Amino acid sequence: MKKIFLFICTISMSFLNAQDITDALRYSQQNIMGTARFRGMSGAFGALGGDLSALQINPAGSAVFLESNGSVTLSTSRIDNDANYFDGFSNNSDMNLNFNQLGAVFIYEYNKDSNGVNKFSLGLAYDQTSDNADEFLAFGRSESTATYSNSIDNYFLAEAQGIPLDLITLRSGENIDNLYSFLGENEGFSAQQAFLGHESFLIEANDLDNPDNTLYFSNIAPGVFDQEFFFESTGLNGKFTLNGGAQINQNYYIGFNLNSHFISYDKVTQFFERNDNTGSIVNEVTFTNRLSTTGAGFSAQIGGIAKVSQMIRLGASFETPTWYYIEEETTQQLETFGNTNGRALVDPRVTNIFPEYRLRTPATATGSIAFLFGQQGLISLDYSYKDYSSIKLSSDQGNVFSNVNREINDNLQGVSIIRLGTEWRNGQWSFRGGFNYEESPYENDLLFGDKIGYSIGGGYNFGKFKFDVAYDYSEQQREEEFFPGSGFTNFAVIDSYRDNFTFTLAMNF
């Protein structure tokens, strides 16, 4: 049976907890994806071109093609997560299959053997830029300290303090859906969370007889807590590119891209906690949240490649920030159980629809050099710089993101990205390898570690057709805070390992 949402509410400007530094960073990052040749060399194509995915790095690469070319790419992706939380350890893996690249470049020769403009290129391409599929389960036993209970009750207490009791109390004839919707439309996020906690008996007012009461205490006693946190996300980010390029005076290539981006991201989290602490009225808590995000954006790129000699090529490119318009929706459910009070389920059949907001991602500058050894092989190196502290959120609908923007500026930093690749040929066969490194976007790299990756690949040239295959692997560590920016600060340490097999069929025409 399909779930029916009885109420649709637009959240007021005080509902800002939906957008945080984690979301801003997620939509600002791009992974090395694309054709098998591109991935087999870890994306080190800034001074090379001649591959459709090379346009992601340097748009001048389209003019390097000797003839018109098209390609289609299929990729299998697997993510393996190790989750450490207090004394608990778990491992989860997830696999998916995507068509992550499709495109063509059309070459128009002009004054082929003379100076001036030698040829023009026109490219149309789709590239997946990020795979949002992720999953992990963290579990462990936490214990109260002298100043912190290490329980989910901290989340609801922090949101509830200062909220009048009368505001979150059901009136005669009013149901959970009505009040939850009203609070979202008129009071915002904290009032909704306070209502969930109070209605489920997780928190209680200090003075039940005073409708103006604004102080609350927990019905969970300090002690030991068995906790689980399940995280699952799906979706992908991608872009459609219109490219133009030209070869000038035989040795110089220029190009530009106009990129249309999209975001598709869905996430579900479920937190479970159990305790047998003396004095606890609530012994079990299950808190479920769902988030759905869609977005559309625009960016532009410009680049050039120069043949310095028969052996050396240099490349340079610049990608503007991407300006996104993003919409988000959430649903929530809270269930508690007490040995004396029984079970309480608070399930508002309401979708919280956030006001559309804007996200500006960082610009990227790239410098490249490649060494070519005739027809035998090549070595290529790219260096990119991206300043994540320049990320900015804004809105035309009155939302104030000053706190989030300040957190971004204080915690994120500029990063260096290095990609190194090589390719060697033996007859119709090609063999490739690569390495890539990206610094942590956080000044504190314990929150989000450096990313390291490796790749290998090969291909066979049938003449008109080429078939390539690649395998790439990357690893990164991060701290996954269960409820970012809230009063409950517990987190798991996640070691992520990703590997991909990529297959590309390309054709000259």
Side-chain angles (χ1 to χ4, degrees):
M1 180 181 294
K2 293 183 179 179
K3 185 173 181 179
I4 300 174
F5 297 109
L6 297 183
F7 297 92
I8 304 296
C9 60
T10 300
I11 306 305
S12 69
M13 62 181 293
S14 60
F15 201 157
L16 299 181
N17 288 47
Q19 298 88 30
D20 58 35
I21 187 172
T22 305
D23 297 318
L25 184 60
R26 178 190 305 114
Y27 306 136
S28 298
Q29 293 183 306
Q30 296 187 21
N31 297 324
I32 295 175
M33 308 187 82
T35 67
R37 185 180 180 221
F38 183 81
R39 296 180 79 155
M41 293 175 57
S42 290
F45 266 84
L48 293 174
D51 184 278
L52 271 160
S53 290
L55 276 60
Q56 295 184 45
I57 307 298
N58 190 336
S62 64
V64 176
F65 279 98
L66 299 178
E67 53 188 326
S68 298
N69 181 274
S71 65
V72 59
T73 300
L74 178 70
S75 180
T76 65
S77 176
R78 183 176 71 95
I79 181 168
D80 194 74
N81 285 325
D82 293 339
N84 293 273
Y85 181 61
F86 290 105
D87 59 342
F89 171 83
S90 66
N91 173 267
N92 287 83
S93 62
D94 183 51
M95 292 191 65
N96 59 73
L97 180 70
N98 286 312
F99 280 100
N100 64 1
Q101 182 275 327
L102 177 68
V105 166
F106 303 91
I107 301 298
Y108 304 93
E109 291 187 343
Y110 178 81
N111 292 332
K112 179 178 179 181
D113 300 318
S114 64
N115 291 328
V117 178
N118 307 121
K119 62 182 173 184
F120 295 101
S121 60
L122 174 65
L124 299 171
Y126 159 74
D127 283 284
Q128 182 181 343
T129 58
S130 180
D131 186 352
N132 292 327
D134 199 2
E135 181 179 325
F136 69 86
L137 173 67
F139 64 86
R141 173 166 289 185
S142 69
E143 188 170 353
S144 299
T145 67
T147 57
Y148 188 67
S149 74
N150 262 325
S151 167
I152 186 66
D153 63 359
N154 287 286
Y155 173 87
F156 293 98
L157 284 172
E159 300 296 342
Q161 306 300 351
I163 304 293
L165 175 61
D166 182 61
L167 190 63
I168 59 174
T169 301
L170 288 170
R171 290 169 170 77
S172 177
E174 190 175 39
N175 61 35
I176 289 173
D177 300 338
N178 296 145
L179 183 51
Y180 183 84
S181 179
F182 169 82
L183 293 173
E185 292 174 336
N186 298 277
E187 302 297 332
F189 179 78
S190 292
Q192 285 185 317
Q193 306 315 290
F195 170 65
L196 292 175
H198 182 258
E199 187 65 21
S200 64
F201 307 107
L202 199 157
I203 60 174
E204 193 60 82
N206 281 15
D207 186 354
L208 282 172
D209 297 323
N210 181 9
D212 296 324
N213 174 88
T214 57
L215 297 177
Y216 299 84
F217 65 91
S218 173
N219 280 325
I220 297 178
V224 175
F225 307 95
D226 292 315
Q227 298 171 334
E228 295 180 2
F229 181 78
F230 174 75
F231 175 104
E232 182 181 30
S233 63
T234 57
L236 58 87
N237 302 343
K239 67 179 179 181
F240 297 92
T241 298
L242 173 64
N243 168 270
Q247 182 186 29
I248 302 172
N249 293 336
Q250 307 296 328
N251 295 322
Y252 302 97
Y253 305 86
I254 59 173
F256 70 90
N257 288 344
L258 300 177
N259 304 311
S260 176
H261 299 254
F262 68 88
I263 294 171
S264 175
Y265 181 76
D266 292 283
K267 178 180 72 173
V268 58
T269 64
Q270 186 173 81
F271 182 88
F272 172 78
E273 176 180 290
R274 184 180 184 280
N275 77 85
D276 290 315
N277 301 333
T278 302
S280 280
I281 295 175
V282 171
N283 301 101
E284 292 182 8
V285 180
T286 304
F287 187 31
T288 305
N289 287 268
R290 291 178 173 83
L291 167 71
S292 179
T293 303
T294 58
F298 171 82
S299 72
Q301 291 169 272
I302 188 170
I305 297 174
K307 292 182 179 178
V308 178
S309 67
Q310 287 295 105
M311 184 179 180
I312 300 175
R313 291 187 186 182
L314 299 177
S317 61
F318 177 79
E319 181 174 5
T320 68
T322 301
W323 291 274
Y324 281 111
Y325 283 87
I326 297 177
E327 296 179 341
E328 294 181 335
E329 300 178 0
T330 66
T331 60
Q332 297 184 294
Q333 176 184 292
L334 179 63
E335 184 176 11
T336 64
F337 175 79
N339 292 327
T340 56
N341 285 3
R343 191 168 303 276
L345 174 64
V346 186
D347 183 18
R349 292 172 292 175
V350 173
T351 299
N352 294 316
I353 302 177
F354 298 87
E356 182 182 71
Y357 69 96
R358 293 194 301 267
L359 170 67
R360 185 192 69 193
T361 72
T364 305
T366 301
S368 311
I369 185 170
F371 301 93
L372 285 73
F373 305 96
Q375 296 298 313
Q376 285 71 48
L378 59 88
I379 298 174
S380 180
L381 175 67
D382 289 358
Y383 171 82
S384 299
Y385 182 81
K386 195 171 184 178
D387 185 4
Y388 285 101
S389 68
S390 66
I391 295 173
K392 185 176 180 180
L393 284 76
S394 59
S395 173
D396 291 328
Q397 302 188 36
N399 291 31
V400 179
F401 292 97
S402 56
N403 290 337
V404 179
N405 290 330
R406 187 180 305 111
E407 185 181 2
I408 290 171
N409 186 69
D410 292 343
N411 290 279
L412 301 186
Q413 64 177 354
V415 304
S416 294
I417 304 167
I418 297 172
R419 296 180 294 271
L420 176 66
T422 185
E423 179 180 58
W424 297 91
R425 301 185 183 96
N426 183 6
Q428 302 302 107
W429 292 94
S430 297
F431 306 93
R432 308 177 184 105
F435 167 80
N436 64 88
Y437 167 80
E438 182 172 350
E439 284 185 296
S440 168
Y442 281 90
E443 292 184 358
N444 178 5
D445 60 9
L446 293 177
L447 298 175
F448 207 89
D450 299 341
K451 183 177 181 180
I452 298 175
Y454 309 90
S455 62
I456 58 173
Y460 188 85
N461 188 342
F462 294 92
K464 191 176 184 66
F465 293 92
K466 295 179 181 179
F467 181 75
D468 295 300
V469 61
Y471 169 81
D472 61 274
Y473 166 88
S474 65
E475 59 184 50
Q476 191 171 37
Q477 185 182 88
R478 71 182 189 271
E479 292 183 357
E480 186 74 36
E481 192 171 355
F482 300 154
F483 301 97
S486 74
F488 184 51
T489 58
N490 287 21
F491 62 86
V493 176
I494 310 297
D495 292 298
S496 290
Y497 309 93
R498 288 183 180 266
D499 55 4
N500 308 275
F501 284 98
T502 304
F503 308 90
T504 297
L505 180 65
M507 179 183 70
N508 295 323
F509 55 88

